[in-house]
Amino acid sequence: MILELDCGNSLIKWRVITTADGPLVASGVASQATNLVQELLILGVKKITRCRLVSVRSDEETGALIDLLSNALGVEVLRVCPAKEIAGVTNGYRDHNRLGLDRWLAIIAAYGMCQGPCLIIDLGTAVTVDLVASGGIHLGGYIAPGIALLRGQLLAHTRRIQYVPAETFVTLGAIAPGKSTGEGVERGCLIMLRSYVASQISLAEDQLGKDFTIYVTGGDSALVADLPGVICVPDLVFRGLAIACP
């Protein structure tokens, strides 16, 4: 069994697969490594033989996480590190160490899937956009606030914009003019997100030409899944992890 982890700033996304190309056994999200270990025990997952992770946390936090997992599971934990080139993809940052590792893995996976020009959009806390040209040349990308940050900034900095969280789910997916504060905020943020993604797809033609593949991943990917040409790949980072850390 192989345990794979994507360690973000606040949550740890994880999954267990049987072999490198094997089926999914279990998956989930944990706030701490101890919770993850407990959940594996509760689920009755058989012995983990290999473990690999990507982390955007500090070296100290990541080191402590690796030590905990290694001791609890009795396996070596392999960690992805920055690189200038992996699997035919060349990092486009001036300092390749500064490109977020989750973005880097998504880029590697996307190019590995299409072997040609591609646009990679990750919709999470932040929305990241990366462009890869023919020959696996990463051209760079963009970073913008995700829908939760857009909503949060309005609620934090505008005194008269307040509404109950339940309205977030009631209005999700609708774009008709809102008839309450909650509807107005939620639908406005949704349109901003979708418009931003659509504009990035249009702008990408200037760099990639008309024939390129569009991959979307991240927790909010469903909000743009119906846009023309979009291919949703929820496990894009994990796919890249398997390539970079076989």
Side-chain angles (χ1 to χ4, degrees), residues 13 17 23 34 36 54 77 84-85 103 112 142 145-146 157 160 172-174 190 209 245:
K13 289 175 282 188
I17 53 179
T34 50
L36 165 59
V54 56
V77 179
K84 183 62 179 176
E85 183 177 351
R103 284 176 66 190
Y142 305 92
H157 296 286
R160 295 181 66 86
L172 192 63
L190 176 61
C245 195

Side-chain angles (χ1 to χ4, degrees), residues 4 8 10 12 18 44 66 73 82-83 100 108 123 139 161 172 174 200-202 207 219:
E4 299 179 321
S10 56
I12 302 172
T18 54
I66 289 173
L73 302 175
I108 293 168
L123 293 101
L139 302 180
I161 295 182
L172 192 63
Q200 287 292 342
I201 294 172
S202 178
Q207 300 291 329

Side-chain angles (χ1 to χ4, degrees), residues 151-165 167 180-186:
R151 178 193 304 124
Q153 287 300 301
L154 275 174
L155 294 176
H157 296 286
T158 312
R159 292 182 181 179
R160 295 181 66 86
I161 295 182
Q162 298 294 328
Y163 58 95
V164 295
E167 291 187 63
S180 70
T181 298
E183 288 180 353
V185 170
E186 294 303 320

Side-chain angles (χ1 to χ4, degrees), residues 79-102:
R79 176 188 179 185
V80 173
C81 295
K84 183 62 179 176
E85 183 177 351
I86 292 179
V89 184
T90 302
N91 193 315
Y93 262 32
R94 295 187 186 93
D95 179 359
H96 69 269
N97 293 290
R98 299 290 295 172
L99 178 63
L101 283 172
D102 49 351

Side-chain angles (χ1 to χ4, degrees), residues 26-44:
S27 64
V29 177
S31 57
Q32 299 179 24
T34 50
N35 296 345
L36 165 59
V37 173
Q38 291 172 356
E39 191 163 353
L40 290 173
L41 293 174
I42 292 172
L43 292 172

